[in-house]
């Protein structure tokens, strides 16, 4: 399986598939030895023609879901890195983990029993800054303060990433760096697991198999960053939508509460949406105007992201 065992290396492929369900950003998950996992599997150079083809086969076999467009996220393969152990089990061989990101507007129930759509912010609750800081943030900051005590370099990292007080500002795109800091500080379940210690009952968020939470953090950070310069949010939207639904989608991905009027003005300035001339009665109140994306190739709009005017 993978490269020859004597080399002590294998290649694993993982897919971060994100969709919107009930105004929540969700990731397609399955189970591995009872733990929450991304669809994944080993690459076999003797059998698999390409990484991407092997990945597509894994996702379909494990979830019943067929991928559309995917892009490569990152390759994790540093020897001796202080990060979640990629290879489960006692062998602990070095593993090269290759992650891919896919976005879909098709959030129908996955047909296989172990596959489901899991809210991303259940896995990273500290990343939810809507309506103020997340409830888990105070105990996390206390744990980080204890870890950083007496070390100004550690404290500077905590301040830069978690922005506990002015003048530091929250950067929603630094998801991976925050997760890796929590891992290094021993505050997430994977850190206890990989150090052969009991997992604390109050460890924040839902733990994942292998290094899958690290790969998902990479995917969420990439998506959040791309919101600002590419119209990727429309890959998650149905053919028609209200501006309130579009804003809710942006908030669900970014984990921020956005200023309504500034968001709408920003969307109108991009020229990426146009009214359909129809109204939606699904809002539960006054009918809202339905919009659609403009015709054309959105992938060519290299600098046309959506505005994220956060409430400060």
């Amino acid at each position: 399986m993978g490269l020859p065992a004597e080399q002590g290396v294998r290649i694993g492929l993982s897919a971060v598939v994100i969709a919107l369900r009930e105004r929540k950003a969700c990731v397609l998950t399955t189970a591995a030895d009872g733990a929450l996992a991304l669809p994944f599997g080993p690459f076999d150079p003797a059998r698999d023609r390409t990484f991407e083809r092997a990945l597509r086969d894994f996702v379909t076999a494990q979830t019943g879901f067929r991928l559309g467009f995917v892009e490569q996220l990152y390759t994790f393969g540093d020897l001796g890195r202080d990060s979640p152990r990629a290879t489960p089990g006692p062998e602990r061989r070095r593993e090269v983990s290759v992650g891919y990101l896919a976005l879909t507007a098709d959030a129908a129930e996955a047909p296989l029993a172990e596959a489901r759509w899991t809210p991303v912010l259940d896995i990273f609750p500290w990343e939810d800054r809507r309506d103020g800081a997340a409830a888990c943030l105070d105990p996390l900051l206390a744990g980080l303060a204890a870890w950083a005590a007496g070390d100004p370099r550690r404290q500077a990292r905590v301040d830069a990433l978690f922005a506990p007080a002015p003048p530091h500002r929250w950067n929603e795109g630094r998801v991976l760096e925050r997760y890796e800091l929590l891992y290094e500080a021993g505050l997430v379940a994977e850190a206890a697991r990989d150090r052969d210690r009991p997992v604390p009952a109050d460890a924040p968020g839902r733990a994942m198999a292998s290094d899958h939470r690290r790969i998902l953090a990479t995917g969420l950070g990439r998506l959040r960053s791309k919101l600002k310069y590419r119209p990727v949010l429309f890959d998650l939207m149905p053919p028609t939508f209200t501006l309130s639904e579009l804003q809710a989608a942006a908030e669900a991905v970014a984990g921020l509460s956005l200023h309504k009027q500034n968001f709408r003005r920003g969307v109108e300035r991009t020229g990426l949406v146009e009214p359909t001339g129809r109204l939606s009665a699904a809002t539960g109140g006054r009918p809202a105007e339905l919009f659609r994306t403009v015709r054309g190739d959105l992938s060519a709009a290299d600098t046309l992201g959506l505005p994220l005017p956060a409430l400060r």
Side-chain angles (χ1 to χ4, degrees):
M1 180 172 60
L3 296 179
E6 61 269 15
Q7 294 186 23
V9 177
R10 72 173 184 179
I11 299 173
L13 308 175
S14 302
V16 176
V17 185
I18 293 181
L20 292 169
R21 287 174 62 87
E22 300 177 354
R23 298 199 170 196
K24 295 179 180 180
C26 295
V27 61
L28 187 63
T29 60
T30 183
D33 297 326
L36 193 69
L38 299 171
F40 75 103
F43 175 76
D44 185 346
R47 180 194 64 202
D48 299 319
R49 291 177 54 194
T50 66
F51 282 1
E52 185 176 319
R53 183 181 292 270
L55 179 85
R56 290 178 183 277
D57 290 344
F58 290 142
V59 172
T60 302
Q62 293 172 22
T63 70
F65 189 87
R66 293 190 177 277
L67 289 177
F69 173 78
V70 298
E71 65 174 275
Q72 187 170 325
L73 273 174
Y74 197 74
T75 300
F76 298 102
D78 303 340
L79 181 62
R81 66 184 191 265
D82 185 15
S83 61
R85 188 172 69 228
T87 307
E91 55 186 306
R92 302 191 186 188
R93 285 189 291 156
R94 182 179 176 187
E95 175 155 320
V96 176
S97 296
V98 185
Y100 286 80
L101 175 66
L103 307 179
T104 180
D106 177 14
E109 289 292 343
L112 298 186
E114 289 189 336
R116 65 197 63 218
W117 293 101
T118 301
V120 172
L121 295 179
D122 286 0
I123 298 169
F124 302 109
W126 58 86
E127 293 293 335
D128 190 356
R129 287 295 185 106
R130 294 171 295 181
D131 302 319
C136 71
L137 200 55
D138 284 344
L140 276 184
L141 289 175
L144 288 169
W147 171 77
D151 188 330
R153 290 176 297 180
R154 285 184 172 186
Q155 189 59 53
R157 291 171 62 198
V158 173
D159 292 342
L161 291 172
F162 283 88
H168 304 286
R169 299 188 67 178
W170 179 261
N171 182 335
E172 66 277 3
R174 300 180 75 177
V175 183
L176 176 62
E177 292 171 84
R178 279 188 287 272
Y179 172 70
E180 291 189 323
L181 182 63
L182 293 173
Y183 182 94
E184 185 179 341
L187 297 176
V188 289
E190 290 88 343
R193 177 201 68 194
D194 294 351
R195 296 164 190 171
D196 297 318
R197 299 172 183 168
V199 175
D202 59 351
R206 298 190 62 182
M208 301 188 76
S210 189
D211 59 350
H212 290 193
R213 192 151 47 155
R214 188 188 194 209
I215 296 170
L216 177 55
T218 307
L220 179 59
R222 171 80 63 85
L223 178 56
R224 285 179 167 185
S225 296
K226 290 182 74 168
L227 286 180
K228 299 177 182 179
Y229 64 89
R230 293 291 301 275
V232 293
L233 192 64
F234 296 113
D235 292 332
L236 300 172
M237 301 301 295
T240 62
F241 47 84
T242 67
L243 292 184
S244 291
E245 290 169 338
L246 186 65
Q247 180 175 337
E251 291 177 333
V253 172
L256 299 172
S257 295
L258 304 180
H259 189 285
K260 180 178 179 180
Q261 295 305 322
N262 288 347
F263 178 80
R264 293 189 175 208
R265 282 193 291 266
V267 170
E268 290 169 0
R269 282 197 297 268
T270 66
L272 294 174
V273 300
E274 61 185 7
T276 65
R278 295 183 287 119
L279 299 178
S280 170
T283 58
R286 183 178 177 181
E289 187 171 17
L290 284 169
F291 289 78
R292 62 189 167 214
T293 56
V294 295
R295 292 184 175 85
D297 182 10
L298 290 179
S299 66
D302 289 333
T303 60
L304 292 179
L306 289 176
L308 296 178
L311 295 172
R312 300 293 184 186

